[in-house]
Amino acid sequence: MSNATFYSTWVEVDLEAIRNNVQWFQNFSGVAVMAVVKANAYGHGMIPAAKAALQAGASWCGVARIEEALELRAASLDCPILVMGYTPPDRVDEAVAQQISMTVWDPRQLELAAGAAKKAQMPARLHLKVDTGMSRLGVQPEGTLDFVRKLAKTPGVIFEGLFTHFARADETDPTPTDAQAEHFRAVLIQLEQARLRPPVVHAANSAASLTRPSAHFDLMRVGIAMYGLYPSDECSLPGAVRAALTWKAVLSQVKVLPAGRGVSYGHIYTTRSQEQIATLPVGYADGFRRTLGNQVLVAGKRVPVIGRVCMDQIMIQLDEVPGARAGDEVVLIGQQGEARLTAEDVAKIWGTINYEVTCAISARVPRVYLHEKVGHPPR
Ligand SMILES: *Cc1c(COP(=O)(O)O)cnc(C)c1O
């Protein structure tokens, strides 16, 4: 039995690559790593990716939502976890009971946290988000000291962290990130002078972790780079950091059609001559986008997807690969022989970024884990 005889389409995740990448960041800076595993670990599978990162020395897990944090706890991961986004009021009790750290920016969140702490007889762990220029979440720098004073007086809460997020750390021009870092540092100095600096100060995403050691502070929040994916075209990765994900499928049918045959819904492709056409059991419901111009790798060659992408299937033109047979393995993202089709390449075809490409690979695509290390991460 092999993956190619057991699945139609599947994702292989090399957990050794994730461990290698986390270790690379750890060695590079010596600062603690938060493994950002939101959105099913950018499509890689949250629990195995989180375990691999912790095995490699990551000390925190970062998620966007309380549901994700609870899933990590349910898998017995007892590392510190930060919900970096919004926690709905009725979920604050669960967060406190499970010792999940929450992000705050609104005084009303302090009351909720205090109430939950009292009920649970356990502290609420809070990270204050400062909006230094992303304009997404956070208190404004000018209001931070006042907020922290309020926080420090709130019973039952621990002021565990202070953080911000960069909007343009993946660009070559350092100016906008310099400005944000400057605002953040000014806030930090104010807190230090008031003896209100929390233990965990953090700012850097993958791009800033790579390019801006001055923004490492106490913790680097490494997301995209932990999976071996580039933060952007302008911010590539060192050669030692490698992609963990390969998306595969098998040829379900290979056939020769005469000239003039329409292919797939709407017949937007018509065979010009006798052509070898194959079908793949993957479609837009798997996260393979319904755009024109898609490509896949067959027998180490890039070949075109033709006609419309269906919900569960696509057709490809195989004149360049006369020997292809039903059951052959096809690569949608990854490497096959000498040929490569990276998440970055696919993103270019789709007019988006690699983040969206791997996040979009849907839940029905089975994830197969390579080099899984059993046992709990050391704590
Ligand atoms: C998603 C996210 C990250 C990780 O960003 P990458 O670019 O993937 O490294 C870090 N911090 C916050 C607040 C995030 O939302």
Side-chain angles (χ1 to χ4, degrees):
M1 196 188 82
S2 69
N3 293 330
T5 57
F6 196 77
Y7 297 116
S8 312
T9 181
W10 70 101
V11 159
E12 291 176 6
V13 178
D14 181 355
L15 296 174
E16 183 55 34
I18 292 180
R19 287 191 295 267
N20 167 80
N21 300 344
V22 168
Q23 254 152 22
W24 188 89
F25 275 90
Q26 204 92 74
N27 297 341
F28 166 64
S29 109
V31 166
V33 170
M34 171 187 284
V36 178
V37 294
K38 61 189 176 187
N40 198 28
Y42 297 40
H44 293 66
M46 184 172 66
I47 302 298
K51 282 186 177 166
L54 293 166
Q55 284 164 349
S59 36
W60 281 76
C61 281
V63 294
R65 312 252 165 94
I66 179 74
E67 288 88 348
E68 296 170 324
L70 293 171
E71 205 181 318
L72 291 171
R73 282 287 184 258
S76 302
L77 297 188
D78 61 357
C79 59
I81 299 172
L82 175 63
V83 175
M84 300 184 293
Y86 172 69
T87 302
D90 286 351
R91 309 306 293 277
V92 174
D93 285 350
E94 288 168 88
V96 171
Q98 297 284 332
Q99 289 294 283
I100 292 161
S101 303
M102 286 175 288
T103 299
V104 293
W105 56 86
D106 181 325
R108 283 171 299 183
Q109 293 173 300
L110 299 180
E111 287 157 41
L112 285 167
K118 194 169 175 196
K119 219 190 305 175
Q121 292 292 298
M122 271 198 253
R125 301 174 171 278
L126 304 182
H127 289 228
L128 174 57
K129 181 96 186 261
V130 186
D131 177 13
T132 58
M134 175 76 178
S135 305
R136 193 167 66 175
L137 280 184
V139 293
Q140 295 305 303
E142 310 79 60
T144 306
L145 183 57
D146 272 354
F147 193 103
V148 168
R149 290 214 161 101
K150 225 172 258 147
L151 202 166
K153 277 192 233 138
T154 308
V157 309
I158 296 177
F159 182 28
E160 188 174 55
L162 181 85
F163 75 110
T164 193
H165 190 57
F166 295 125
R168 303 179 66 177
D170 59 342
E171 297 175 21
T172 321
D173 179 6
T175 324
T177 309
D178 285 344
Q180 283 197 256
E182 196 47 51
H183 290 311
F184 190 59
R185 224 166 267 119
V187 165
L188 194 56
I189 288 167
Q190 278 189 336
L191 298 194
E192 279 165 354
Q193 283 168 353
R195 302 197 173 280
L196 288 168
R197 185 202 199 271
V200 192
V201 173
H202 48 113
N205 55 1
S206 294
S209 297
L210 279 164
T211 60
R212 199 170 267 271
S214 63
H216 285 176
F217 299 102
D218 305 313
L219 188 64
M220 299 181 285
R221 303 190 305 268
V222 183
I224 197 81
M226 148 179 164
Y227 308 103
L229 301 171
Y230 286 17
S232 73
D233 284 348
E234 292 175 31
C235 181
S236 62
L237 291 171
V241 175
R242 59 181 201 266
L245 180 145
T246 303
W247 189 2
K248 293 181 174 176
V250 291
L251 297 176
S252 47
Q253 188 183 12
V254 181
K255 57 185 163 274
V256 175
L257 293 178
R261 283 291 174 88
V263 176
S264 194
Y265 291 120
H267 283 177
I268 58 170
Y269 183 89
T270 306
T271 52
R272 285 147 299 182
S273 55
Q274 180 173 294
E275 289 182 35
Q276 180 167 249
I277 305 292
T279 306
L280 276 174
V282 63
Y284 60 76
D286 300 297
F288 194 85
R289 197 177 287 182
R290 190 176 169 281
T291 48
L292 302 180
N294 283 308
Q295 299 180 325
V296 300
L297 304 180
V298 184
K301 286 205 179 81
R302 273 198 198 201
V303 302
V305 174
I306 52 164
R308 289 218 170 106
V309 172
C310 308
M311 186 184 290
D312 319 296
Q313 304 185 73
I314 53 176
M315 269 63 86
I316 60 180
Q317 216 280 359
L318 274 188
D319 281 354
E320 295 290 307
V321 192
R325 295 284 173 272
D328 286 359
E329 202 170 282
V330 175
V331 167
L332 313 175
I333 296 176
Q335 190 151 2
Q336 193 186 50
E338 295 298 296
R340 272 156 59 90
L341 189 60
T342 62
E344 288 78 15
D345 296 331
V346 174
K348 220 151 263 151
I349 295 169
W350 291 359
T352 182
I353 53 172
N354 53 1
Y355 291 71
E356 193 184 357
V357 170
T358 61
C359 283
I361 303 174
S362 70
R364 84 165 174 181
V365 180
R367 268 66 171 178
V368 175
Y369 297 99
L370 312 182
H371 309 297
E372 192 154 23
K373 256 202 222 164
V374 287
H376 272 282
R379 279 275 298 142

